[in-house]
Amino acid sequence: MAQTSANAGMSAKDYAKQQLGNLDLSYLNNERNVANSVYNTAKSSLENNLNNLIEQINNNRADTRKNFNSGRATIAENAYNANRVNEADLASRGIGNSGLKGLGEVGNRMETGQQYSNLANKFYSTMTDLDTSEKQGRSQYDIDMQTAKNTLNSTLAGID
């Protein structure tokens, strides 16, 4: 019993050395280094993939904003041209100041409003999809990082 209490303050490694003699355990350090290297490579790869995904999503957001502004300008220009064609058509028939002019303008405003609405719906839908893609990418990154950490810890525990 006295021998057990004397060994109580000793680490398992020290106790094993005492019982078996001095062992060369340097290969275990090599295995630990390999495990850490594998983990660091996986971590770097995951970080690069996430950064590339975020960069692509941000580029898509910028393109979506640009396309939205371009679409608004196109709709405004088409509405202006439609009003000019309507006025020219009515003026050529000599009825430029009739109720038909107002009716044509109302129809054109309704069509323009519908086009703006469709454009805005597409813009917001696309932006929501991009937000969802970013959240999913970050979530997958977190899961993959946890898996890599668990694998490293399991490997190191097996080596120890």
Side-chain angles (χ1 to χ4, degrees), residues 103-158:
L103 184 61
E105 289 173 356
V106 168
N108 189 31
R109 279 195 306 265
M110 288 173 59
E111 176 61 27
T112 301
Q114 184 63 45
Q115 289 176 9
Y116 279 133
S117 178
N118 291 343
L119 181 65
N121 287 337
K122 182 173 173 103
F123 172 78
Y124 291 121
S125 174
T126 301
M127 293 302 265
T128 299
D129 290 346
L130 291 172
D131 289 343
T132 300
S133 293
E134 182 177 352
K135 287 176 187 172
Q136 289 173 340
R138 288 184 186 277
S139 176
Q140 188 61 49
Y141 168 81
D142 291 341
I143 290 168
D144 292 344
M145 280 300 295
Q146 190 59 50
T147 300
K149 286 176 188 175
N150 291 344
T151 301
L152 173 65
N153 290 336
S154 174
T155 302
L156 291 177

Side-chain angles (χ1 to χ4, degrees), residues 71-84 108 112 115:
R72 287 182 357 180
T74 300
I75 291 170
E77 185 177 334
N78 289 345
Y80 173 78
N81 288 335
N83 278 334
R84 287 194 63 200
N108 189 31
T112 301
Q115 289 176 9

Side-chain angles (χ1 to χ4, degrees), residues 4 13 34 52 56 71 94 115 126 141 156-157:
T4 305
K13 187 175 181 180
V34 168
N52 290 339
Q56 184 60 48
Q115 289 176 9
T126 301
Y141 168 81
L156 291 177

